[in-house]
PDB file of all heavy atoms in Angstrom:
ATOM      1  N   GLY A 263     -67.924 112.703 -32.196  1.00  0.00           N
ATOM      2  CA  GLY A 263     -69.269 113.016 -31.739  1.00  0.00           C
ATOM      3  C   GLY A 263     -70.242 111.877 -31.946  1.00  0.00           C
ATOM      4  O   GLY A 263     -71.314 111.834 -31.333  1.00  0.00           O
ATOM      5  N   LYS A 264     -69.864 110.928 -32.814  1.00  0.00           N
ATOM      6  CA  LYS A 264     -70.704 109.761 -33.080  1.00  0.00           C
ATOM      7  C   LYS A 264     -70.056 108.484 -32.550  1.00  0.00           C
ATOM      8  O   LYS A 264     -70.730 107.600 -32.027  1.00  0.00           O
ATOM      9  CB  LYS A 264     -70.945 109.631 -34.588  1.00  0.00           C
ATOM     10  CG  LYS A 264     -71.659 108.356 -35.012  1.00  0.00           C
ATOM     11  CD  LYS A 264     -73.071 108.273 -34.445  1.00  0.00           C
ATOM     12  CE  LYS A 264     -73.778 107.016 -34.931  1.00  0.00           C
ATOM     13  NZ  LYS A 264     -75.140 106.886 -34.376  1.00  0.00           N
ATOM     14  N   ALA A 265     -68.733 108.406 -32.675  1.00  0.00           N
ATOM     15  CA  ALA A 265     -68.016 107.196 -32.283  1.00  0.00           C
ATOM     16  C   ALA A 265     -67.280 107.393 -30.962  1.00  0.00           C
ATOM     17  O   ALA A 265     -66.909 108.506 -30.589  1.00  0.00           O
ATOM     18  CB  ALA A 265     -67.024 106.801 -33.369  1.00  0.00           C
ATOM     19  N   ARG A 266     -67.044 106.298 -30.289  1.00  0.00           N
ATOM     20  CA  ARG A 266     -66.238 106.279 -29.066  1.00  0.00           C
ATOM     21  C   ARG A 266     -64.822 105.876 -29.459  1.00  0.00           C
ATOM     22  O   ARG A 266     -64.612 104.856 -30.114  1.00  0.00           O
ATOM     23  CB  ARG A 266     -66.831 105.273 -28.086  1.00  0.00           C
ATOM     24  CG  ARG A 266     -66.055 105.092 -26.794  1.00  0.00           C
ATOM     25  CD  ARG A 266     -66.722 103.992 -25.984  1.00  0.00           C
ATOM     26  NE  ARG A 266     -66.021 103.690 -24.748  1.00  0.00           N
ATOM     27  CZ  ARG A 266     -66.326 102.663 -23.961  1.00  0.00           C
ATOM     28  NH1 ARG A 266     -67.335 101.854 -24.297  1.00  0.00           N
ATOM     29  NH2 ARG A 266     -65.647 102.441 -22.847  1.00  0.00           N
ATOM     30  N   TRP A 267     -63.852 106.676 -29.056  1.00  0.00           N
ATOM     31  CA  TRP A 267     -62.458 106.429 -29.428  1.00  0.00           C
ATOM     32  C   TRP A 267     -61.709 105.841 -28.243  1.00  0.00           C
ATOM     33  O   TRP A 267     -61.681 106.418 -27.157  1.00  0.00           O
ATOM     34  CB  TRP A 267     -61.811 107.730 -29.896  1.00  0.00           C
ATOM     35  CG  TRP A 267     -60.346 107.624 -30.209  1.00  0.00           C
ATOM     36  CD1 TRP A 267     -59.698 106.581 -30.804  1.00  0.00           C
ATOM     37  CD2 TRP A 267     -59.342 108.606 -29.936  1.00  0.00           C
ATOM     38  NE1 TRP A 267     -58.364 106.846 -30.937  1.00  0.00           N
ATOM     39  CE2 TRP A 267     -58.114 108.091 -30.409  1.00  0.00           C
ATOM     40  CE3 TRP A 267     -59.366 109.877 -29.354  1.00  0.00           C
ATOM     41  CZ2 TRP A 267     -56.914 108.799 -30.306  1.00  0.00           C
ATOM     42  CZ3 TRP A 267     -58.173 110.585 -29.257  1.00  0.00           C
ATOM     43  CH2 TRP A 267     -56.970 110.048 -29.729  1.00  0.00           C
ATOM     44  N   ILE A 268     -61.089 104.685 -28.455  1.00  0.00           N
ATOM     45  CA  ILE A 268     -60.274 104.014 -27.444  1.00  0.00           C
ATOM     46  C   ILE A 268     -58.870 103.874 -28.019  1.00  0.00           C
ATOM     47  O   ILE A 268     -58.691 103.329 -29.110  1.00  0.00           O
ATOM     48  CB  ILE A 268     -60.863 102.639 -27.086  1.00  0.00           C
ATOM     49  CG1 ILE A 268     -62.256 102.826 -26.460  1.00  0.00           C
ATOM     50  CG2 ILE A 268     -59.939 101.869 -26.151  1.00  0.00           C
ATOM     51  CD1 ILE A 268     -63.012 101.539 -26.260  1.00  0.00           C
ATOM     52  N   ALA A 269     -57.869 104.372 -27.288  1.00  0.00           N
ATOM     53  CA  ALA A 269     -56.513 104.478 -27.835  1.00  0.00           C
ATOM     54  C   ALA A 269     -55.518 103.613 -27.061  1.00  0.00           C
ATOM     55  O   ALA A 269     -54.891 104.077 -26.098  1.00  0.00           O
ATOM     56  CB  ALA A 269     -56.059 105.933 -27.824  1.00  0.00           C
ATOM     57  N   PRO A 270     -55.338 102.355 -27.452  1.00  0.00           N
ATOM     58  CA  PRO A 270     -54.310 101.526 -26.808  1.00  0.00           C
ATOM     59  C   PRO A 270     -52.913 101.931 -27.271  1.00  0.00           C
ATOM     60  O   PRO A 270     -52.753 102.651 -28.256  1.00  0.00           O
ATOM     61  CB  PRO A 270     -54.654 100.116 -27.296  1.00  0.00           C
ATOM     62  CG  PRO A 270     -55.293 100.340 -28.635  1.00  0.00           C
ATOM     63  CD  PRO A 270     -56.041 101.638 -28.526  1.00  0.00           C
ATOM     64  N   ARG A 271     -51.905 101.459 -26.566  1.00  0.00           N
ATOM     65  CA  ARG A 271     -50.534 101.679 -27.021  1.00  0.00           C
ATOM     66  C   ARG A 271     -50.335 100.957 -28.358  1.00  0.00           C
ATOM     67  O   ARG A 271     -50.905  99.892 -28.586  1.00  0.00           O
ATOM     68  CB  ARG A 271     -49.533 101.137 -25.996  1.00  0.00           C
ATOM     69  CG  ARG A 271     -49.539 101.883 -24.679  1.00  0.00           C
ATOM     70  CD  ARG A 271     -48.381 101.446 -23.793  1.00  0.00           C
ATOM     71  NE  ARG A 271     -48.428 102.132 -22.506  1.00  0.00           N
ATOM     72  CZ  ARG A 271     -48.862 101.588 -21.380  1.00  0.00           C
ATOM     73  NH1 ARG A 271     -49.295 100.329 -21.379  1.00  0.00           N
ATOM     74  NH2 ARG A 271     -48.870 102.286 -20.263  1.00  0.00           N
ATOM     75  N   PRO A 272     -49.519 101.517 -29.241  1.00  0.00           N
ATOM     76  CA  PRO A 272     -49.281 100.854 -30.529  1.00  0.00           C
ATOM     77  C   PRO A 272     -48.768  99.429 -30.349  1.00  0.00           C
ATOM     78  O   PRO A 272     -47.980  99.141 -29.441  1.00  0.00           O
ATOM     79  CB  PRO A 272     -48.222 101.748 -31.191  1.00  0.00           C
ATOM     80  CG  PRO A 272     -48.405 103.090 -30.559  1.00  0.00           C
ATOM     81  CD  PRO A 272     -48.810 102.812 -29.143  1.00  0.00           C
ATOM     82  N   ASN A 273     -49.239  98.539 -31.218  1.00  0.00           N
ATOM     83  CA  ASN A 273     -48.785  97.144 -31.269  1.00  0.00           C
ATOM     84  C   ASN A 273     -49.108  96.343 -30.009  1.00  0.00           C
ATOM     85  O   ASN A 273     -48.414  95.373 -29.683  1.00  0.00           O
ATOM     86  CB  ASN A 273     -47.284  97.061 -31.561  1.00  0.00           C
ATOM     87  CG  ASN A 273     -46.934  97.585 -32.936  1.00  0.00           C
ATOM     88  OD1 ASN A 273     -47.702  97.419 -33.881  1.00  0.00           O
ATOM     89  ND2 ASN A 273     -45.793  98.237 -33.059  1.00  0.00           N
ATOM     90  N   THR A 274     -50.166  96.739 -29.299  1.00  0.00           N
ATOM     91  CA  THR A 274     -50.596  95.955 -28.135  1.00  0.00           C
ATOM     92  C   THR A 274     -52.015  95.411 -28.335  1.00  0.00           C
ATOM     93  O   THR A 274     -52.682  95.031 -27.379  1.00  0.00           O
ATOM     94  CB  THR A 274     -50.562  96.807 -26.849  1.00  0.00           C
ATOM     95  OG1 THR A 274     -51.489  97.906 -26.973  1.00  0.00           O
ATOM     96  CG2 THR A 274     -49.169  97.350 -26.594  1.00  0.00           C
ATOM     97  N   ASP A 275     -52.451  95.368 -29.582  1.00  0.00           N
ATOM     98  CA  ASP A 275     -53.822  94.945 -29.883  1.00  0.00           C
ATOM     99  C   ASP A 275     -54.096  93.516 -29.431  1.00  0.00           C
ATOM    100  O   ASP A 275     -55.172  93.213 -28.908  1.00  0.00           O
ATOM    101  CB  ASP A 275     -54.079  95.059 -31.391  1.00  0.00           C
ATOM    102  CG  ASP A 275     -53.740  96.435 -31.926  1.00  0.00           C
ATOM    103  OD1 ASP A 275     -54.586  97.327 -31.831  1.00  0.00           O
ATOM    104  OD2 ASP A 275     -52.607  96.617 -32.412  1.00  0.00           O
ATOM    105  N   VAL A 276     -53.122  92.626 -29.636  1.00  0.00           N
ATOM    106  CA  VAL A 276     -53.337  91.221 -29.290  1.00  0.00           C
ATOM    107  C   VAL A 276     -53.518  91.063 -27.784  1.00  0.00           C
ATOM    108  O   VAL A 276     -54.387  90.306 -27.328  1.00  0.00           O
ATOM    109  CB  VAL A 276     -52.172  90.353 -29.801  1.00  0.00           C
ATOM    110  CG1 VAL A 276     -52.321  88.912 -29.316  1.00  0.00           C
ATOM    111  CG2 VAL A 276     -52.122  90.380 -31.325  1.00  0.00           C
ATOM    112  N   ALA A 277     -52.730  91.779 -27.003  1.00  0.00           N
ATOM    113  CA  ALA A 277     -52.883  91.707 -25.544  1.00  0.00           C
ATOM    114  C   ALA A 277     -54.280  92.163 -25.130  1.00  0.00           C
ATOM    115  O   ALA A 277     -54.927  91.540 -24.270  1.00  0.00           O
ATOM    116  CB  ALA A 277     -51.818  92.567 -24.864  1.00  0.00           C
ATOM    117  N   MET A 278     -54.764  93.234 -25.736  1.00  0.00           N
ATOM    118  CA  MET A 278     -56.098  93.738 -25.417  1.00  0.00           C
ATOM    119  C   MET A 278     -57.164  92.706 -25.769  1.00  0.00           C
ATOM    120  O   MET A 278     -58.110  92.466 -24.997  1.00  0.00           O
ATOM    121  CB  MET A 278     -56.333  95.043 -26.170  1.00  0.00           C
ATOM    122  CG  MET A 278     -57.629  95.755 -25.818  1.00  0.00           C
ATOM    123  SD  MET A 278     -57.691  97.378 -26.623  1.00  0.00           S
ATOM    124  CE  MET A 278     -59.388  97.851 -26.249  1.00  0.00           C
ATOM    125  N   MET A 279     -57.020  92.057 -26.928  1.00  0.00           N
ATOM    126  CA  MET A 279     -57.980  91.025 -27.331  1.00  0.00           C
ATOM    127  C   MET A 279     -57.916  89.815 -26.406  1.00  0.00           C
ATOM    128  O   MET A 279     -58.945  89.216 -26.073  1.00  0.00           O
ATOM    129  CB  MET A 279     -57.705  90.587 -28.766  1.00  0.00           C
ATOM    130  CG  MET A 279     -57.935  91.645 -29.823  1.00  0.00           C
ATOM    131  SD  MET A 279     -57.497  90.995 -31.457  1.00  0.00           S
ATOM    132  CE  MET A 279     -56.800  92.443 -32.233  1.00  0.00           C
ATOM    133  N   LEU A 280     -56.704  89.445 -26.002  1.00  0.00           N
ATOM    134  CA  LEU A 280     -56.566  88.321 -25.079  1.00  0.00           C
ATOM    135  C   LEU A 280     -57.260  88.616 -23.750  1.00  0.00           C
ATOM    136  O   LEU A 280     -57.903  87.729 -23.159  1.00  0.00           O
ATOM    137  CB  LEU A 280     -55.084  88.016 -24.841  1.00  0.00           C
ATOM    138  CG  LEU A 280     -54.354  87.271 -25.958  1.00  0.00           C
ATOM    139  CD1 LEU A 280     -52.848  87.301 -25.729  1.00  0.00           C
ATOM    140  CD2 LEU A 280     -54.847  85.829 -26.059  1.00  0.00           C
TER     141      LEU A 280
END
Side-chain angles (χ1 to χ4, degrees):
K264 173 64 178 179
R266 177 184 177 188
W267 176 38
I268 297 171
R271 294 189 182 102
N273 295 325
T274 62
D275 307 276
V276 174
M278 186 173 172
M279 294 178 216
L280 283 168

